[in-house]
Amino acid sequence: MTEIAKIDNGTDIVDDLIVCIVNNRDYLSEIDGAIGDGDHGINMAKGFNICKHRIDGKNLSLAEAFETLSDSLMEGIGGSMGPLYGSIFAGWAEAVQGKKTLNSNEFKEMLLKGLSELQEISSAKQGDKCLVDTLIPAIESFKKANESGKTFHEALIIMKQAAHDGRESTRNLVAKIGRASRLGERSKGVLDAGATSCCLLLTQLIDSILKRII
Amino acid sequence: MTEIAKIDNGTDIVDDLIVCIVNNRDYLSEIDGAIGDGDHGINMAKGFNICKHRIDGKNLSLAEAFETLSDSLMEGIGGSMGPLYGSIFAGWAEAVQGKKTLNSNEFKEMLLKGLSELQEISSAKQGDKCLVDTLIPAIESFKKANESGKTFHEALIIMKQAAHDGRESTRNLVAKIGRASRLGERSKGVLDAGATSCCLLLTQLIDSILKRII
Amino acid sequence: MIMNRIINDPDLVVEDAIEGYVAAHPDFYAKTDNARVLKYSGSVKKGKVGIITGGGSGHEPAFLGYVGKNMLDAVAIGEIFSSPTAGAFLEAMKVADTGAGVACLYGNYAGDNMNVKMAIKKATAAGVKVKTVVANDDIASASASEKEKRRGVAGEILMWKIAGAAAAEGYDLDNVIAAAQKAIDNCRSIGVGLSSCTIPAVGKPNFHIEKGTMELGIGHHGEPGIKVVPIETAKEMAKTMLDPIMEEGIFEAGSEVVVLVSGLGATPVMELYIYYAEVERLLRANKVKIYKCYVGNYFTSLEMMGVTLSVMKLDAELKKLVNLPACSLGLVQE
Amino acid sequence: MIMNRIINDPDLVVEDAIEGYVAAHPDFYAKTDNARVLKYSGSVKKGKVGIITGGGSGHEPAFLGYVGKNMLDAVAIGEIFSSPTAGAFLEAMKVADTGAGVACLYGNYAGDNMNVKMAIKKATAAGVKVKTVVANDDIASASASEKEKRRGVAGEILMWKIAGAAAAEGYDLDNVIAAAQKAIDNCRSIGVGLSSCTIPAVGKPNFHIEKGTMELGIGHHGEPGIKVVPIETAKEMAKTMLDPIMEEGIFEAGSEVVVLVSGLGATPVMELYIYYAEVERLLRANKVKIYKCYVGNYFTSLEMMGVTLSVMKLDAELKKLVNLPACSLGLVQE
Ligand SMILES: Nc1ncnc2c1ncn2[C@@H]1O[C@H](COP(=O)(O)OP(=O)(O)O)[C@@H](O)[C@H]1O
Ligand SMILES: Nc1ncnc2c1ncn2[C@@H]1O[C@H](COP(=O)(O)OP(=O)(O)O)[C@@H](O)[C@H]1O
Ligand SMILES: [Mg+2]
Ligand SMILES: [Mg+2]
Ligand SMILES: [Mg+2]
Ligand SMILES: [Mg+2]
């Protein structure tokens, strides 16, 4: 009766994440351009493309694929995005180590491990106008749905909406960290680039998992 | 019957030249700005102001005053204007050495001496779109008027017109020397800055002499 | 995206520039296993503490230009205005270690902090002892009560100079770290920005400074300053910048200091000297003695216009160390 | 007239900058009787030929930045982009003379030619023997058949380096002149401009370069180049600039050369290295060996963007001289 997702094809799952970031390269840079320095899409696409080269043609487990993505970011781009997203994906990789399937609880653990790895190196809080404004509410909503007895499927749908709402919430925030913070009040009114890339990634991940629930 | 000009008050004569250049500082820079680097008035006013400080309150002969003007330019501003105008005024100073009056012939000699000093250091020719496009026709017209029996007064009036025409002639010239030459054909259609300052100076000098003819 | 720049692929400016540095100066640079790490190619005494740093590109001659004799032993090189990877920091740590440990002396930026932290974990696991000093000389980036939040700017160069000299003098790791820490603790900096700059891969200016205004306290990547004010004369600017430095309370009448005036890239060198003359006058009026000065483009931000002022207070030890000869592209001293 | 500059009175930028230079570097500069002349403050051997130059300001570190040990003994300083006065050249001649005569090594510009000529007359009258070399390394400024019309650009630095070394080696005046003449005869330069610059006293750009275009062969003050072409990559630029230099016919396969790549002011240093890497590749393909290179902001034009390339062919004598240590703000060599 418990839903589980078949995640044995890690290469495909991560490849979909790569396509999603690379396709949104210019869009993400444009958003970053409004209140940042306009390179978020460039940075992300660079790292994700490095991963693309590394996984292409290989038949990786999800743990291996996440780890490759993490390394590609950490070793390929540096900056802040390397360690930040690199930590999230490293946490995910660790959580799904040895797994060929995921149930709702395991997926929750994966999300939480990614978050705790991120929080090891970043003290960014919700409301700072950054990627955690997407990440934290998305994870929390999944956790709540999961713990209140919603199915894996239902919880993923709820999480997708929360990621979307989280991204939208950044529109009215004043940036507290990152380059956008130089604008103070003027940083209000537009989306945050990291929150947007995070929403894109979570949404794609959710779709990939939904597709694989058997 | 021969007209002569009383030139014992050299300080006044040169002071009038200074006032004329300083008053036209911005005008000359503006003209230079169209096809040059926009500093001709600045350069000239700087040199003439140095002279102002040096002659103020002194009772100089015309030779002394011209020499001070020449030194002020040569020692005060350097560049090209220093040696060029400096040479002209040095020539004038030499020609009027010891003189308290000038007749038409002596004035002609003075002009010619200034020109020959200039030509010692500059090979600029009429038609190059520079200050000699004013200077040479002005001197030649005075010489011709003088040699064809015109009075000092008449010759000065003729010279004034020639200086004016010479300056105007630069409008249709393509610059061959100086910064404006970088524009080639595009240097056409506007006055040359040096030709304009030269016209201002000659016109003022002529007025000063006319006033002093007794 | 047309830019009036001298580049090939805008995404590869760092790689291409490194090629040029290595081709031009084999007497300074040797490649390593990591394409983003260069090490000093001269001879280094075994047992000398390794001095390294790392940071984003676009600040040349910082960071790589300070690799050399009695200066840095290795450098990790990031993308433009972006931290090097943890792997690059790790490689720099490894190649700089001669057995006496490594002093990693870098600036207080989120990315650098994260990447250095990760690198140290791995270096330690690999048996390389690493200690750090995190430069925080930029007084405009946080108040004195939040000193740990302040960014590192041009004062880093003085920190490297001191640490490089200390290592050359045979100090052990703890004492090199102590000297570097003292250098940066004794140093205060502030910058003023007069125009923005364009990261080639981005193709449009990083931020904007209105004509006729200047941004006091701007960071090396265009981070927000304290305020935007109408442009001042060099004399006024010197006062506007020196006043908050003096208010930090570490420079007293009788202090001897090093002054470092650095252009941000596009400000003509003659203006840096016009500015220096004013700083010198003001310090003299405050009875602070300039023991040594550096004026030039020491730590730039691509083609930004502007200037940074750093003042470091000396004691007997720092005096001795700052005077030691050094030879790197960015700083040569006989 | 609002400018984002670091100046006081726009009419006094040269005076103010000189104050800063002298205040910052008493180890290099001593004042003279002429406010626009600085002389080397270090010790100079009696009987050494004096080496001087002079030129407009705004090219820093040229000209005054090359005063130093085994380099220039004195320098005459003009207004921005404008020749020094004859009096300044004369004073430089006088203070640099230790009895062995003075080599006045300057660039081929109308104003400089006139002022030097007048200065020499007076120096000769005062018993100072002066000989000149007029640099004309800029191949873009006239055809090879009108070589005497060519302007002097960054190759002047190599001429000063060679002459400074020759004088230090005890050459007499004629031999110093011969070495300097050989240096400049063996040198070819060309520049490319990517943006204009603003003289403070004028307050608006000196000329204009359309975005997306570059001016090949531009002069150091914005003098007209050979042509305006769409902007090229660093690789293409290197070829566009090196080709006409090679066509001069003095560099053959097997030649050993010095390469000097100088930024015009606002071009980031990393771009100069991207460019250098391309030049190095092309010369290698031409089997021309780079014996020594200099890359940096050696001869600027205020905040112009762009680069100049100078190549000087070496023989045994020039090799020895170019290798001699030198110490000046603009060029330090151990
Ligand atoms: N300390 C941080 N923790 C979490 N996210 C951050 C932090 N700093 C910046 N960000 C995120 O990074 C995004 C910008 O990323 P990017 O443009 O790639 O880097 P940079 O700001 O260095 O150019 C911001 O939109 C913000 O969401
Ligand atoms: N060689 C020369 N001989 C005579 N006049 C010249 C020469 N070169 C330039 N000029 C004159 O100089 C004027 C420009 O003077 P100015 O603006 O003061 O100097 P610069 O061109 O150095 O900025 C030109 O308009 C031209 O008339
Ligand atoms: Mg960004
Ligand atoms: Mg960025
Ligand atoms: Mg002019
Ligand atoms: Mg001019």
Side-chain angles (χ1 to χ4, degrees):
Chain A
M1 160 78 237
T2 322
E3 293 165 320
I4 59 166
K6 259 176 69 63
I7 51 147
D8 51 334
N9 197 336
T11 302
D12 278 2
I13 295 173
V14 166
D15 197 50
D16 284 343
L17 296 178
I18 294 169
V19 169
C20 149
I21 287 299
V22 171
N23 283 348
N24 284 287
R25 181 183 188 271
D26 293 346
Y27 170 61
L28 290 172
S29 289
E30 200 188 305
I31 294 178
D32 189 38
I35 53 172
D37 60 356
D39 62 357
H40 186 56
I42 297 169
N43 297 339
M44 293 293 279
K46 187 166 185 169
F48 278 65
N49 269 326
I50 291 171
C51 181
K52 172 84 185 157
H53 288 295
R54 294 197 192 166
I55 65 171
D56 237 15
K58 289 189 191 141
N59 201 346
L60 304 177
S61 71
L62 186 57
E64 287 166 341
F66 278 154
E67 206 180 312
T68 308
L69 181 56
S70 170
D71 287 350
S72 298
L73 295 174
M74 291 220 203
E75 295 315 314
I77 61 171
S80 297
M81 289 307 104
L84 292 172
Y85 274 117
S87 295
I88 296 174
F89 299 137
W92 289 1
E94 208 184 313
V96 301
Q97 196 66 48
K99 294 201 198 315
K100 292 203 147 78
T101 60
L102 278 186
N103 61 27
S104 189
N105 283 335
E106 288 168 328
F107 186 72
K108 180 181 74 183
E109 290 311 319
M110 179 190 110
L111 293 175
L112 290 171
K113 181 70 185 158
L115 181 60
S116 70
E117 285 293 311
L118 171 70
Q119 288 174 333
E120 279 243 327
I121 55 161
S122 168
S123 57
K125 301 177 310 295
Q126 224 182 317
D128 284 352
K129 191 158 187 153
C130 72
L131 57 90
V132 306
D133 286 304
T134 299
L135 190 66
I136 290 178
I139 295 176
E140 278 177 357
S141 69
F142 185 89
K143 189 163 174 269
K144 206 172 130 212
N146 166 277
E147 287 164 8
S148 66
K150 296 274 197 284
T151 66
F152 195 4
H153 185 104
E154 285 165 353
L156 286 168
I157 299 293
I158 288 168
M159 175 181 172
K160 201 173 179 177
Q161 183 63 43
H164 175 270
D165 294 347
R167 180 196 68 192
E168 287 303 313
S169 77
T170 63
R171 219 185 268 281
N172 289 316
L173 293 173
V174 172
K176 300 267 165 51
I177 53 165
R179 274 173 228 290
S181 63
R182 71 169 269 116
L183 297 176
E185 280 294 323
R186 284 173 293 153
S187 63
K188 254 183 159 170
V190 289
L191 292 176
D192 172 63
T196 306
S197 61
C198 188
C199 180
L200 285 168
L201 286 166
L202 293 180
T203 304
Q204 178 57 52
L205 179 70
I206 290 165
D207 288 342
S208 297
I209 300 291
L210 282 173
K211 217 165 57 179
R212 287 172 171 79
I213 290 182
I214 46 175
Chain B
M1 163 71 238
T2 321
E3 295 167 321
I4 58 167
K6 260 178 67 65
I7 51 148
D8 52 333
N9 196 336
T11 302
D12 278 1
I13 294 172
V14 165
D15 198 50
D16 284 342
L17 295 178
I18 294 169
V19 169
C20 150
I21 287 298
V22 172
N23 283 349
N24 285 285
R25 181 182 188 272
D26 294 344
Y27 170 61
L28 290 172
S29 289
E30 201 188 306
I31 294 179
D32 189 37
I35 52 170
D37 61 354
D39 63 357
H40 185 58
I42 296 168
N43 297 340
M44 294 291 282
K46 186 165 186 171
F48 279 66
N49 269 326
I50 292 171
C51 181
K52 173 84 185 155
H53 288 295
R54 294 201 194 162
I55 65 172
D56 238 16
K58 290 192 190 137
N59 200 345
L60 304 178
S61 71
L62 186 55
E64 287 166 338
F66 277 154
E67 206 179 314
T68 308
L69 181 55
S70 169
D71 288 350
S72 299
L73 294 175
M74 292 221 205
E75 297 314 314
I77 61 171
S80 297
M81 290 306 105
L84 291 171
Y85 274 118
S87 296
I88 296 173
F89 300 137
W92 290 0
E94 208 184 313
V96 301
Q97 197 66 48
K99 295 202 196 319
K100 292 205 148 78
T101 60
L102 277 186
N103 62 27
S104 189
N105 284 334
E106 288 168 325
F107 185 71
K108 180 180 73 181
E109 292 310 319
M110 177 190 114
L111 293 176
L112 290 172
K113 182 71 184 156
L115 180 61
S116 69
E117 286 292 312
L118 171 69
Q119 288 174 333
E120 280 243 327
I121 55 159
S122 166
S123 57
K125 301 177 309 295
Q126 222 183 321
D128 285 352
K129 191 157 186 154
C130 73
L131 58 89
V132 304
D133 286 304
T134 300
L135 190 65
I136 291 180
I139 294 177
E140 278 176 358
S141 70
F142 185 87
K143 189 164 172 267
K144 207 173 129 211
N146 167 275
E147 286 165 8
S148 68
K150 296 273 196 285
T151 66
F152 196 4
H153 185 105
E154 285 163 351
L156 285 169
I157 299 293
I158 288 168
M159 175 180 171
K160 202 176 183 177
Q161 183 62 41
H164 177 269
D165 295 346
R167 180 195 69 193
E168 287 303 314
S169 76
T170 62
R171 218 185 269 279
N172 289 315
L173 291 174
V174 172
K176 300 269 165 50
I177 54 165
R179 273 172 228 289
S181 63
R182 73 168 270 114
L183 297 176
E185 280 293 324
R186 284 173 293 155
S187 63
K188 256 182 155 169
V190 290
L191 291 176
D192 172 64
T196 306
S197 61
C198 187
C199 180
L200 285 168
L201 286 167
L202 292 181
T203 304
Q204 178 57 53
L205 180 70
I206 290 166
D207 288 344
S208 296
I209 300 291
L210 282 173
K211 219 165 56 181
R212 286 174 172 79
I213 289 181
I214 46 176
Chain C
M1 192 171 75
I2 296 164
M3 275 176 296
N4 281 18
R5 306 303 281 261
I6 305 176
I7 59 172
N8 292 309
D9 184 339
D11 288 334
L12 297 176
V13 289
V14 177
E15 284 75 4
D16 290 352
I18 291 174
E19 277 310 308
Y21 271 98
V22 172
H25 309 295
D27 41 334
F28 281 115
Y29 301 112
K31 292 190 176 189
T32 68
D33 287 346
N34 187 312
R36 292 301 188 88
V37 177
L38 293 178
K39 69 169 190 177
Y40 180 44
S41 60
S43 67
V44 175
K45 242 197 284 174
K46 189 132 187 88
K48 186 189 90 69
V49 170
I51 309 291
I52 71 155
T53 192
S57 295
H59 300 298
E60 288 69 28
F63 295 75
L64 77 175
Y66 297 102
V67 166
K69 198 175 128 215
N70 297 354
M71 292 288 290
L72 302 171
D73 296 301
V75 65
I77 302 164
E79 277 300 307
I80 303 251
F81 292 175
S82 183
S83 170
T85 63
F89 274 114
L90 175 62
E91 177 73 8
M93 289 165 187
K94 284 181 177 169
V95 299
D97 188 30
T98 70
V102 172
C104 178
L105 313 173
Y106 68 99
N108 193 20
Y109 296 89
D112 295 305
N113 280 323
M114 291 189 277
N115 287 299
V116 167
K117 197 169 161 186
M118 298 194 298
I120 289 178
K121 257 194 207 165
K122 296 194 184 170
T124 308
V128 176
K129 192 169 177 186
V130 180
K131 297 204 168 183
T132 63
V133 179
V134 186
N136 58 349
D137 50 309
D138 183 1
I139 60 168
S141 48
S143 67
S145 60
E146 293 191 305
K147 208 161 159 279
E148 73 290 348
K149 285 198 183 169
R150 286 181 174 175
R151 300 179 298 246
V153 286
E156 294 184 42
I157 297 164
L158 302 175
M159 169 177 75
W160 302 327
K161 170 76 189 78
I162 295 298
E169 292 278 89
Y171 282 41
D172 68 12
L173 181 56
D174 284 334
N175 285 317
V176 166
I177 290 290
Q181 188 70 57
K182 178 161 64 174
I184 208 71
D185 284 346
N186 281 8
C187 185
R188 296 294 185 277
S189 301
I190 191 167
V192 72
L194 304 184
S195 79
S196 183
C197 58
T198 296
I199 300 175
V202 179
K204 64 186 189 66
N206 219 9
F207 59 98
H208 182 69
I209 294 178
E210 208 66 51
K211 223 190 144 177
T213 68
M214 60 182 217
E215 184 157 338
L216 178 67
I218 198 160
H220 267 166
H221 317 94
E223 292 93 338
I226 300 170
K227 56 184 171 179
V228 175
V229 295
I231 191 100
E232 298 180 343
T233 62
K235 187 189 172 89
E236 292 162 346
M237 258 183 232
K239 187 164 156 48
T240 302
M241 292 165 75
L242 195 57
D243 277 353
I245 286 180
M246 296 302 290
E247 276 161 26
E248 291 277 308
I250 67 168
F251 307 103
E252 309 116 11
S255 294
E256 293 187 85
V257 300
V258 173
V259 169
L260 167 61
V261 169
S262 177
L264 290 181
T267 285
V269 173
M270 68 185 300
E271 297 182 21
L272 303 179
Y273 279 96
I274 293 174
Y275 177 82
Y276 176 79
E278 300 299 342
V279 170
E280 196 266 343
R281 255 175 225 130
L282 284 175
L283 282 174
R284 203 164 359 105
N286 278 291
K287 303 214 173 0
V288 172
K289 184 173 171 255
I290 301 179
Y291 180 76
K292 193 174 198 69
C293 74
Y294 301 95
V295 183
N297 286 306
Y298 285 94
F299 205 125
T300 64
S301 301
L302 292 172
E303 78 287 8
M304 247 163 116
M305 285 190 140
V307 64
T308 61
L309 170 63
S310 303
V311 186
M312 177 175 81
K313 185 171 155 175
L314 296 170
D315 62 10
E317 182 190 32
L318 292 179
K319 254 192 209 177
K320 193 191 67 188
L321 294 173
V322 86
N323 267 338
L324 204 78
C327 186
S328 63
L329 286 179
L331 190 153
V332 197
Q333 196 170 299
E334 295 205 324
Chain D
M1 192 173 72
I2 296 164
M3 276 175 295
N4 280 21
R5 305 304 282 260
I6 306 175
I7 59 173
N8 291 311
D9 184 339
D11 289 333
L12 296 177
V13 287
V14 177
E15 284 74 5
D16 289 352
I18 291 174
E19 278 308 309
Y21 271 97
V22 172
H25 310 294
D27 40 338
F28 282 114
Y29 301 112
K31 292 190 175 188
T32 67
D33 287 346
N34 186 312
R36 292 300 188 89
V37 177
L38 293 179
K39 69 169 189 176
Y40 181 45
S41 60
S43 68
V44 175
K45 242 196 284 173
K46 191 135 182 88
K48 187 187 90 68
V49 171
I51 310 290
I52 71 155
T53 192
S57 295
H59 302 295
E60 289 67 30
F63 294 75
L64 76 173
Y66 298 101
V67 166
K69 195 173 132 220
N70 296 355
M71 291 289 289
L72 302 171
D73 297 301
V75 66
I77 302 164
E79 276 301 306
I80 303 255
F81 294 175
S82 184
S83 170
T85 63
F89 274 112
L90 175 63
E91 177 74 6
M93 290 166 188
K94 284 183 178 167
V95 298
D97 188 30
T98 70
V102 173
C104 178
L105 312 174
Y106 68 99
N108 193 21
Y109 295 89
D112 295 305
N113 281 324
M114 291 189 277
N115 287 298
V116 167
K117 196 168 161 186
M118 297 194 299
I120 289 179
K121 256 194 211 165
K122 295 195 185 169
T124 308
V128 177
K129 192 167 174 189
V130 181
K131 297 205 168 184
T132 63
V133 179
V134 186
N136 56 349
D137 51 311
D138 183 0
I139 61 168
S141 49
S143 66
S145 60
E146 293 191 305
K147 209 160 159 276
E148 74 289 350
K149 284 197 184 168
R150 286 181 172 174
R151 300 178 299 246
V153 285
E156 294 183 43
I157 296 164
L158 301 176
M159 169 177 76
W160 302 327
K161 170 75 188 75
I162 294 297
E169 292 281 86
Y171 282 39
D172 68 13
L173 180 57
D174 284 334
N175 285 315
V176 166
I177 290 290
Q181 188 69 57
K182 178 160 65 174
I184 208 71
D185 285 345
N186 281 8
C187 185
R188 297 292 184 279
S189 301
I190 191 167
V192 71
L194 304 184
S195 79
S196 183
C197 59
T198 296
I199 299 175
V202 178
K204 65 186 186 66
N206 218 10
F207 59 98
H208 182 68
I209 294 179
E210 208 65 51
K211 221 187 148 180
T213 68
M214 59 182 219
E215 185 155 339
L216 177 67
I218 199 161
H220 267 166
H221 318 93
E223 292 92 340
I226 299 170
K227 55 184 173 182
V228 175
V229 295
I231 191 101
E232 299 180 344
T233 63
K235 187 190 173 85
E236 292 162 345
M237 256 182 234
K239 187 166 155 47
T240 302
M241 292 166 75
L242 195 58
D243 277 352
I245 286 180
M246 295 304 289
E247 277 162 24
E248 291 275 309
I250 66 168
F251 307 103
E252 309 116 11
S255 294
E256 294 187 86
V257 301
V258 173
V259 169
L260 168 62
V261 169
S262 177
L264 289 182
T267 286
V269 174
M270 66 184 303
E271 298 183 19
L272 303 180
Y273 279 96
I274 293 173
Y275 176 82
Y276 175 77
E278 301 298 343
V279 170
E280 196 265 343
R281 256 175 224 130
L282 284 176
L283 282 173
R284 205 167 354 108
N286 280 290
K287 305 216 173 354
V288 172
K289 187 174 170 251
I290 301 179
Y291 180 78
K292 194 176 196 69
C293 75
Y294 301 95
V295 183
N297 286 308
Y298 284 94
F299 204 125
T300 64
S301 300
L302 293 171
E303 79 286 11
M304 247 163 119
M305 283 190 142
V307 65
T308 61
L309 170 63
S310 303
V311 186
M312 178 174 79
K313 184 171 153 177
L314 296 170
D315 61 10
E317 182 190 33
L318 292 179
K319 255 191 206 177
K320 194 192 68 188
L321 295 173
V322 86
N323 267 338
L324 205 80
C327 187
S328 62
L329 286 180
L331 190 154
V332 197
Q333 196 170 300
E334 293 203 326

